[in-house]
């Protein structure tokens, strides 16, 4: 059994088939979106340091999304996708 658990209860079978056929692209895209979400939250922290409620919420969000990014990177490592160019981290 995998280290990760997925909630498939509300996922359409068509979507699952699409992901299965394109899993590498899906998981790479997922990793990049988690990284972007964390970075976007930190950008808001930098732009609005005087808005304490926003800063606190965005720091929490950044930590959560970075944790998700780490989890997805572990999956990528398990399936041997680690080249930076495939992850869109360098050109």
């Amino acid at each position: 059994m995998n280290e990760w658990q997925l909630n498939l209860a509300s996922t359409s079978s068509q979507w699952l088939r699409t992901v299965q056929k394109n899993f590498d692209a899906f998981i790479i895209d997922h990793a990049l979106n988690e990284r972007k979400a964390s970075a976007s939250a930190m950008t808001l922290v930098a732009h609005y340091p005087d808005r304490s409620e926003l800063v606190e919420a965005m720091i929490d969000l950044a930590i959560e999304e970075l944790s998700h990014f780490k989890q997805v990177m572990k999956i990528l490592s398990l399936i041997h996708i680690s080249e930076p160019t495939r992850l869109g981290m360098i050109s």
Side-chain angles (χ1 to χ4, degrees):
M1 185 152 153
N2 295 331
E3 293 180 22
W4 59 92
Q5 298 295 317
L6 302 174
N7 180 1
L8 304 177
S10 62
T11 304
S12 76
S13 58
Q14 176 61 36
W15 173 245
L16 290 175
R17 284 191 298 276
T18 301
V19 169
Q20 288 171 335
K21 288 179 184 175
N22 303 289
F23 188 75
D24 287 2
F26 167 80
I27 200 71
I28 290 168
D29 185 62
H30 188 72
L32 296 174
N33 285 326
E34 297 291 358
R35 185 182 60 150
K36 289 176 196 174
S38 181
S40 293
M42 289 308 297
T43 296
L44 290 171
V45 168
H47 285 329
Y48 301 102
D50 57 324
R51 301 198 41 207
S52 60
E53 285 184 35
L54 176 67
V55 167
E56 185 175 341
M58 291 301 101
I59 289 171
D60 289 344
L61 179 62
I63 291 168
E64 179 182 353
E65 297 302 330
L66 195 56
S67 174
H68 295 163
F69 177 66
K70 182 178 180 180
Q71 291 169 351
V72 177
M73 291 301 292
K74 284 182 182 179
I75 294 169
L76 287 167
S77 178
L78 287 171
I79 61 175
H80 306 290
I81 298 176
S82 59
E83 307 91 22
T85 53
R86 288 193 70 192
L87 299 176
M89 294 180 183
I90 60 173
S91 307

